[in-house]
Amino acid sequence: MIRRRDLAMLAAVAAAAPGGASAGASEGAPGTGRLTTDRLRSANVPGEVRISVYLPPGYEERPAQAYPLMLLLHGGDGSEKDLARFAGVIDAAVAAGRVPALAVAMPGAGRSLYMDYRDRSERWETFIIQELLPHLRATLPVAATRQRTFVGGWSMGGLGSLRLAFKHPETFAAVAAVEPAVEPALAWREIGPKVKFWRSDEIYERIFGAPVDQAYWAANNPASIAKRDPRRLIDLGIYLEVGDQDMLYLTHGVEFLHRVLFDGGIAHEYRLVRGAEHVGPSLAPRLADALGFIGRQIDPPDWIDRQVTETRAVMDDQKRAAGLPVEAVDPRRIRSW
C-alpha cells in the first residue's frame, strides 16, 4: 500500500517548486487576504481542532459585510496549514473577479475522511455540521444562510466535501470537488486493488468497522447517496474534476460518479483535465477553476438572453414537427434525451 504521508510530502515539494501552488503573499500586502489560525475544542472529536481561516483583501474596511463562506478541506495526511499553499490562488481569483470576496476556512482533520466513525469514537461530520459551522458564523463576518455557504476540497477533502454536501444539501448551496478520492463503486464488494493499494483495509476498518459494515459504507459513499435519491440533490451546485493522469486511478471513480449524476438527470459540471496529475503544478489552476464555479453560484451569470430564448422557441417548433416532446426548461436538471 502506498503511504499517504509520503504522497503528501511529495505534494508539498511540488507546490514549493516553480509553477506550483502559491504559498500566498505576506499578510497585509496590497491585494492579499489575511490568514489566521483558530482553535476549537470539540465534544465530537479528540482534542482541539486547529482551523486556518482566510479573510479576503480589504475586509477590515467592510466589517459589516457578511461574506460567503467556503469550507475548503485538505487531502489525506494534510492539515489546516495547507490553506497557506493556496492563499495566493484565492487572492488571484478574487482580484480577477472569478469569485466574489469570500472567507475560506480549513479544519485540520488528519486522515479522518471527514466522517463519523462507525464506532462513534470520532465524529467529524457531526463536528463540521454542528460545531464548526456555527462557530465560524459566530466569529467571522460571514453569512449564516445556505445560499452563501459552500464546501470543497481536493483528494480526501474532495471526497469529504461531496459526502457532506450530498448528505446535507440543506446546509450547502454548492460543492466543488477537485480530484476527489471516490471509489468507482456502489457497493463495498465492488472495490478492487486499484483502490485498496492507496486506501488500506486498516483505514477502512478503523472508520467503517472491522469487518467493514457494508451498509454503513454505502450510506456514506457519494455515488450510492446520489443513486439512491437523486432528487435530494436537485438544488445543489456540483462541480467534479480529475486529472486524466491521476496516479491513484481517481479518474475512474470521478467518471463513475459523473455517470451516476448524469443518469439521475442532476445538472453538474464535470471536467477531465488533460495531462493533470494528482500532485504538482496543475493543482493551482484547477483550484482556480473550482473557485470560478463557486463564483458562478454566488453571482450567477446572465447566460439566458433574448437570443437564447428566441432560438429555443425555434428549436421547440422543430421538435414538435418531428414528433418529439418539448419539455419545460429546468436548469437544475440535465435536458433529457
Side-chain angles (χ1 to χ4, degrees):
M1 182 199 74
I2 188 170
R3 296 197 311 169
R4 289 299 296 263
R5 186 166 298 279
D6 293 341
L7 186 61
M9 291 174 63
L10 289 170
V13 170
S22 169
S26 60
E27 181 182 326
T32 64
R34 178 184 177 189
L35 283 172
T36 62
T37 301
D38 194 2
R39 293 171 176 83
L40 181 59
R41 185 162 293 278
S42 170
N44 290 289
V45 298
E48 197 173 54
V49 180
R50 292 174 61 89
I51 307 151
S52 286
V53 174
Y54 168 95
L55 289 170
Y59 83 95
E60 299 95 337
E61 287 77 49
R62 300 185 293 274
Q65 178 167 339
Y67 291 101
L69 172 64
M70 182 174 186
L71 298 183
L72 186 61
L73 308 182
H74 63 73
D77 288 324
S79 77
E80 78 287 345
K81 295 178 182 178
D82 290 348
L83 182 57
R85 288 175 50 201
F86 297 105
V89 176
I90 305 171
D91 284 339
V94 171
R98 301 189 74 174
V99 64
L102 78 169
V104 181
M106 179 177 290
R111 191 78 190 281
S112 65
L113 304 190
Y114 302 95
M115 273 194 58
D116 286 0
Y117 291 11
R118 180 67 178 84
D119 65 5
R120 308 288 290 173
S121 61
E122 298 185 30
R123 299 181 295 275
W124 287 93
E125 177 186 328
T126 300
F127 163 73
I128 290 170
I129 299 298
Q130 297 185 10
E131 295 182 312
L132 178 60
L133 270 175
H135 172 76
L136 295 173
R137 288 168 171 171
T139 58
L140 297 177
V142 298
T145 63
R146 172 192 182 271
Q147 291 77 14
R148 307 273 281 179
T149 304
F150 307 91
V151 65
W154 65 90
S155 195
M156 182 190 81
L159 164 64
S161 67
L162 288 167
R163 179 183 294 114
L164 285 166
F166 284 15
K167 292 183 74 174
H168 303 277
E170 74 288 348
T171 299
F172 301 100
V175 56
V178 176
E179 60 181 29
V182 293
E183 298 98 339
L186 292 174
W188 161 256
R189 64 181 179 275
E190 298 169 2
I191 295 176
K194 288 187 177 181
V195 170
K196 290 189 175 182
F197 94 94
W198 55 263
R199 182 175 289 161
S200 69
D201 285 344
E202 184 274 329
I203 293 292
Y204 279 116
E205 292 179 355
R206 175 166 58 87
I207 295 175
F208 294 101
V212 166
D213 183 328
Q214 297 187 37
Y216 192 67
W217 179 89
N220 288 279
N221 175 39
S224 303
I225 296 168
K227 180 75 171 180
R228 183 168 57 249
D229 188 4
R231 294 170 298 177
R232 294 183 63 253
L233 309 182
I234 197 69
D235 290 313
L236 181 69
I238 303 171
Y239 179 91
L240 304 172
E241 71 93 75
V242 67
D244 67 1
Q245 301 301 310
D246 193 288
M247 65 182 71
L248 304 184
Y249 306 113
L250 297 182
T251 308
H252 301 279
V254 179
E255 169 72 20
F256 183 89
L257 178 56
H258 155 65
R259 193 70 230 188
V260 169
L261 293 170
F262 189 94
D263 291 345
I266 301 300
H268 62 287
E269 289 194 25
Y270 168 61
R271 297 187 63 213
L272 183 62
V273 185
R274 183 177 181 184
E277 252 291 7
H278 193 73
V279 299
S282 76
L283 286 179
R286 291 161 62 191
L287 179 59
D289 289 340
L291 289 169
F293 172 81
I294 295 297
R296 296 196 300 277
Q297 312 313 299
I298 298 171
D299 186 13
D302 187 12
W303 283 348
I304 309 303
D305 61 5
R306 181 177 177 180
Q307 179 188 18
V308 172
T309 56
E310 290 179 350
T311 305
R312 277 179 175 170
V314 172
M315 291 298 104
D316 286 348
D317 286 342
Q318 293 188 17
K319 291 173 186 175
R320 293 186 186 97
L324 297 174
V326 175
E327 59 185 340
V329 174
D330 184 349
R332 304 171 304 167
R333 301 178 184 274
I334 297 172
R335 189 181 290 272
S336 63
W337 172 249

